[in-house]
Amino acid sequence: MRAAYAEGRPIPEELARQAALAGDREGMTVYGIGLGNRGAYPEALHWLGKAVDAGDLTALVVLGTLHLDLGDPAEAERHFRKAADRGHPGARIALRELRARRNGAGH
């Protein structure tokens, strides 16, 4: 599971669920992503929050994206900022894009 996560390979949701339930932070992130993709937003927020609490920076970016998709750009920016402050390059890009959108320069 960890090697697939690190390499960006697909991970079956059931494997991610099992890893999440066992306390694996990457499993929590992947499971949260799968839940969000299925529209199970409260559960996705729960698992992504647990992954963030366990120290997964990617989960912060995913949380920001999920909040953006749910129409809460302020909460999205909060998560992107935390991840960017900790050095996540994707979060820095997301912040720039969010600010450009807010300022009318985005798509």
Side-chain angles (χ1 to χ4, degrees):
M1 162 79 206
R2 287 179 187 249
Y5 183 82
E7 295 168 8
R9 288 187 280 135
I11 299 167
E13 187 174 326
E14 180 56 27
L15 180 60
R17 184 182 76 75
Q18 291 173 10
L21 290 170
D24 182 87
R25 72 181 188 180
E26 290 89 358
M28 294 174 199
T29 299
V30 173
Y31 188 47
I33 291 168
L35 291 164
N37 288 342
R38 291 197 282 110
Y41 302 121
E43 272 190 279
L45 292 170
H46 167 79
W47 284 106
L48 291 167
K50 287 180 73 73
V52 168
D53 290 345
D56 193 339
L57 286 182
T58 298
L60 271 173
V61 177
V62 175
L63 263 176
T65 303
L66 185 56
H67 281 289
L68 194 57
D69 292 347
L70 293 172
D72 191 349
E75 189 66 9
E77 184 171 6
R78 186 173 77 82
H79 291 296
F80 292 151
R81 163 68 45 219
K82 282 182 182 180
D85 288 349
R86 294 180 188 161
H88 193 285
R92 291 182 181 134
I93 293 167
L95 271 175
R96 280 196 303 271
E97 290 175 358
L98 182 60
R99 290 176 180 153
R101 249 188 260 162
R102 185 176 51 220
N103 295 327
H107 29 341

